[in-house]
Amino acid sequence: MADFMGKVAMVTGAATGIGEAIARSLATAGATVAIADIDAAAARSTAAAIGGTGKAVGIACDVADPVSVEAAVAEVRAGLGGIDVLVNNAGLHLTGYVRPVSELPVEDWRRLLDVNVLGVVHCAKACRETMRARGGGAIVNIASMAAYKGENAYGISKLAVRGLTVALARDFAADGIRVCGVAPGFVASEAAMRLFPEERRDHYVNEVQLVRRLGQVDDVARAVRFLLSEDASFITAETILVSGGALTRI
């Protein structure tokens, strides 16, 4: 396991689901984790639960609001001394945005892009100075397998995240900050298990994926932890799929 002892990690949207799994994984590896979530009470609850095996704090953060993001980063810097790694996980999810792109109301488009795309920009910009001051760092943006299909508004927003990963990697390279992405496939998060019927899940695992098992949030967390670690020090501007082979490309 990669060693994050002495490192401070900020993970957005980390009160539940994939974000929580990432936060737990980093805490287990020695990091002090700031669990940033729009639901401050849930963030504090998750931080308290992680506190049994590692050090974590819960903070309020609305990634769509740059003022909220700046305040959250300032709180982490004041309380924990700075930030070494950032995971941009917060986002609006697939099921609400699967309508054809021409039918999604403009206000829904704006909300989706504010959170899924500009949220990445706000957090990366806010963390850049503290990472630079600490000698560099690493960022992982959570995209989606949907980013490779472009079938709906959600996929388009995650395609933009893939593009941002490359652009930010170029912008931040001189500061010693690497930027990578992880694109999960179908993963058994609480939300996914609640929203997708068993028949659809079984079809996906047995007919679409090459790996015949349901993906787990820890599969994503391990990929994120690797990309944030020194083991991935020669990797930047790349997004890796964690999808059980649901998408195969050359």
Side-chain angles (χ1 to χ4, degrees), residues 3-249:
D3 183 9
F4 286 85
M5 196 66 64
K7 301 292 187 181
V8 177
M10 180 171 171
V11 185
T12 67
T16 60
I18 290 174
E20 179 183 356
I22 293 168
R24 287 183 180 277
S25 178
L26 293 172
T28 300
T32 299
V33 184
I35 295 171
D37 202 281
I38 196 169
D39 186 340
R44 289 191 291 269
S45 176
T46 298
I50 290 175
T53 56
K55 185 176 180 182
V57 297
I59 57 174
C61 182
D62 177 0
V63 300
D65 179 1
V67 175
S68 175
V69 171
E70 290 284 355
V73 170
E75 183 176 346
V76 176
R77 294 182 72 173
L80 303 178
I83 297 169
D84 299 290
V85 297
L86 166 68
V87 182
N88 283 310
N89 170 74
L92 298 178
H93 293 276
L94 175 65
T95 52
Y97 298 92
V98 295
R99 296 162 63 183
V101 294
S102 60
E103 295 180 9
L104 192 70
V106 170
E107 57 270 22
D108 290 344
W109 266 109
R110 289 200 174 105
R111 177 61 179 160
L112 178 69
L113 298 178
D114 278 346
V115 176
N116 287 14
V117 181
L118 288 177
V120 172
V121 176
H122 297 328
C123 292
K125 288 176 64 178
C127 290
R128 182 179 190 175
E129 178 53 40
T130 182
M131 286 186 174
R132 177 168 50 201
R134 290 166 72 91
I139 299 171
V140 169
N141 301 321
I142 303 301
S144 169
M145 184 176 66
Y148 296 82
K149 297 181 178 182
E151 294 175 342
N152 50 55
Y154 175 80
I156 297 301
S157 75
K158 291 301 187 176
L159 176 60
V161 171
R162 288 179 57 209
L164 275 173
T165 297
V166 175
L168 290 170
R170 289 181 178 276
D171 280 357
F172 289 14
D175 296 326
I177 300 170
R178 297 183 299 106
V179 187
C180 294
V182 168
F186 185 77
V187 172
S189 64
E190 294 175 7
M193 296 300 284
R194 184 175 64 251
L195 292 168
F196 293 101
E198 184 176 359
E199 180 180 350
R200 183 172 177 183
R201 299 196 301 264
D202 289 347
H203 168 77
Y204 202 85
V205 169
N206 295 310
E207 304 296 334
V208 178
Q209 294 178 183
L210 300 180
V211 178
R212 305 297 193 211
R213 69 166 175 84
L214 195 58
Q216 302 297 319
V217 291
D218 286 341
D219 292 316
V220 180
R222 283 189 289 268
V224 171
R225 188 176 66 202
F226 165 69
L227 288 173
L228 292 173
S229 76
E230 286 302 308
D231 291 339
S233 62
F234 199 56
I235 303 174
T236 193
E238 299 287 352
T239 295
I240 65 171
L241 278 159
V242 181
S243 66
L247 285 181
T248 53
R249 301 173 303 145

